């Protein structure tokens, strides 16, 4: 654990915890600012996460500490880092800060991908599943559609599940009966209960669940055989999801590596596209 990043060590502190949405927001903010958080007061952390100061105290207690001072002492031991010497974010406007926040999320993702094992395992699971269900509802529906659009160019049977309702279980059943062995889920806040229920049902039916979520302690973690986290940006009125999108493309690459005819399918598509005049050069 000593060789991991401060953000990774913080993630390990939170993994497996049953946290409320407010507590998950605090944890997410701490991971994003892992280098600074051991030096923040409870009031400063509350402002960073956009919650009340008592919420930070309750969060510390939920993690098993007597209060926030005890948690901060622990953080200085497990996630030591020097305070940001660049003068903070005050020199940037809110739009720039949102972009810089996403850059930091991408840095965390790059650190995570230093171990390619989970992505390679996910690629094998997705490549072997025929058909391949791709689940994403509400905020995550665009992630599911984007993944499904590109996956369909190399995978013989991709089924995007981007609408909830009473038909969702039927579509999971249909995929399972057709031979599906795995399902990939994109899960972003706020997490719909319907997604959690769908993953529980998918596992009951014998599907291996691969999840891309905003953190390792997202609500879908309990029903995921393999979860790879990619943080969302929270600096604007609506969350931004650059890191989850990029992780989706990385998983596509890993899947292609386990599909022996992937390159041939891409070349075949390019030939058809040229014959049909689909794109303007």
């Amino acid at each position: 654990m000593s060789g991991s990043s401060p953000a990774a060590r913080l993630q390990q502190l939170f993994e497996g915890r049953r946290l409320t949405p407010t507590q998950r927001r605090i944890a997410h903010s701490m991971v994003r600012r892992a280098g600074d958080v051991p030096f923040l007061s409870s009031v400063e952390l509350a402002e960073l996460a956009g919650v009340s100061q008592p919420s930070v105290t309750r969060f510390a207690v939920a993690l098993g500490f007597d209060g926030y001072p005890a948690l901060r002492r622990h953080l200085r031991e497990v996630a030591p880092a020097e305070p940001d010497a660049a003068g903070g974010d005050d020199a940037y406007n809110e739009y720039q800060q949102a972009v810089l926040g996403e850059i930091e999320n991408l840095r965390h993702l790059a650190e995570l991908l230093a171990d390619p094992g989970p992505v390679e395992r996910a690629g094998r699971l997705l490549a072997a599943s025929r058909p391949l269900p791709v689940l994403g509802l509400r905020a995550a529906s665009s992630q599911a559609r984007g993944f499904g659009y590109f996956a369909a160019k190399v995978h013989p049977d991709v089924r995007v599940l981007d609408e909830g309702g009473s038909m969702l279980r039927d579509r999971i059943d249909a995929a399972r009966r057709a031979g599906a062995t795995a399902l990939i889920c994109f899960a972003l806040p706020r997490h719909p209960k319907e997604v959690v229920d769908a993953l529980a049902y998918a596992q009951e039916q014998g599907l291996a669940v691969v999840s891309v979520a905003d953190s390792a302690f997202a609500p879908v973690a309990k029903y995921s055989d393999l979860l790879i986290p990619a943080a969302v940006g929270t600096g604007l009125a609506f969350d931004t999801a650059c890191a989850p999108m990029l992780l989706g493309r990385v998983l596509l690459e890993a899947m292609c590596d386990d599909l022996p005819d992937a390159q041939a399918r891409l070349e075949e598509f390019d030939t058809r596209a040229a014959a049909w005049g689909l794109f303007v050069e």
Side-chain angles (χ1 to χ4, degrees):
M1 190 162 122
S2 60
S4 60
S5 69
R9 293 194 289 273
L10 274 175
Q11 287 276 25
Q12 292 176 11
L13 176 64
F14 305 137
E15 284 177 7
R17 304 280 185 174
R18 294 183 62 85
L19 302 176
T20 68
T22 295
Q23 291 167 350
R24 288 197 297 269
R25 184 179 182 88
I26 297 170
H28 174 60
S29 297
M30 292 173 69
V31 171
R32 284 186 56 208
R33 296 286 295 275
D36 299 328
V37 78
F39 305 92
L40 299 180
S41 69
S42 60
V43 173
E44 289 170 329
L45 178 56
E47 291 177 352
L48 177 66
V51 302
S52 67
Q53 189 275 335
S55 293
V56 171
T57 300
R58 288 193 292 269
F59 171 72
V61 173
L63 293 179
F65 297 93
D66 292 336
Y68 181 73
L71 171 58
R72 186 168 62 175
R73 285 194 297 272
H74 180 74
L75 294 178
R76 291 178 178 179
E77 295 172 0
V78 303
E82 293 300 322
D84 186 4
D89 293 334
D90 293 343
Y92 300 103
N93 64 42
E94 62 179 312
Y95 310 123
Q96 291 175 299
Q97 289 181 32
V99 173
L100 292 172
E102 283 290 45
I103 291 171
E104 189 63 22
N105 288 340
L106 292 173
R107 286 199 184 100
H108 290 161
L109 179 59
E111 292 173 0
L112 181 73
L113 295 177
D115 176 9
V119 167
E120 291 172 350
R121 180 186 167 204
R124 289 191 294 271
L125 288 170
L126 302 181
S129 184
R130 312 290 175 87
L132 173 61
V134 182
L135 174 63
L137 302 184
R138 294 187 179 269
S141 61
S142 61
Q143 302 290 331
R145 287 194 296 269
F147 183 94
Y149 172 79
F150 290 110
K153 296 185 183 303
V154 294
H155 192 288
D157 191 353
V158 176
R159 304 186 183 185
V160 176
L161 312 180
D162 60 351
E163 294 183 1
S166 61
M167 294 290 290
L168 185 54
R169 286 194 177 193
D170 292 349
R171 297 179 70 188
I172 291 173
D173 280 338
R176 186 70 183 94
R177 287 196 300 271
T181 54
L183 175 150
I184 180 169
C185 172
F186 290 87
L188 301 178
R190 300 173 64 186
H191 295 275
K193 182 178 183 296
E194 208 169 5
V195 169
V196 177
D197 293 343
L199 293 190
Y201 183 72
Q203 283 192 329
E204 288 175 6
Q205 303 312 304
L207 293 175
V209 174
V210 175
S211 292
V212 172
D214 57 299
S215 73
F217 42 90
V220 298
K222 182 179 179 181
Y223 302 105
S224 301
D225 297 282
L226 176 59
L227 186 150
I228 306 176
V232 300
T234 57
L236 301 175
F238 299 101
D239 290 345
T240 50
C242 296
M245 183 192 71
L246 181 55
L247 179 54
R249 299 299 185 268
V250 169
L251 290 171
L252 279 169
E253 184 76 9
M255 186 179 74
C256 286
D257 290 342
D258 275 274
L259 289 169
D261 57 347
Q263 187 59 40
R265 285 178 176 272
L266 286 174
E267 292 174 359
E268 181 182 328
F269 173 78
D270 285 341
T271 299
R272 290 199 309 269
W276 297 339
L278 287 182
F279 305 110
V280 178
E281 299 296 334

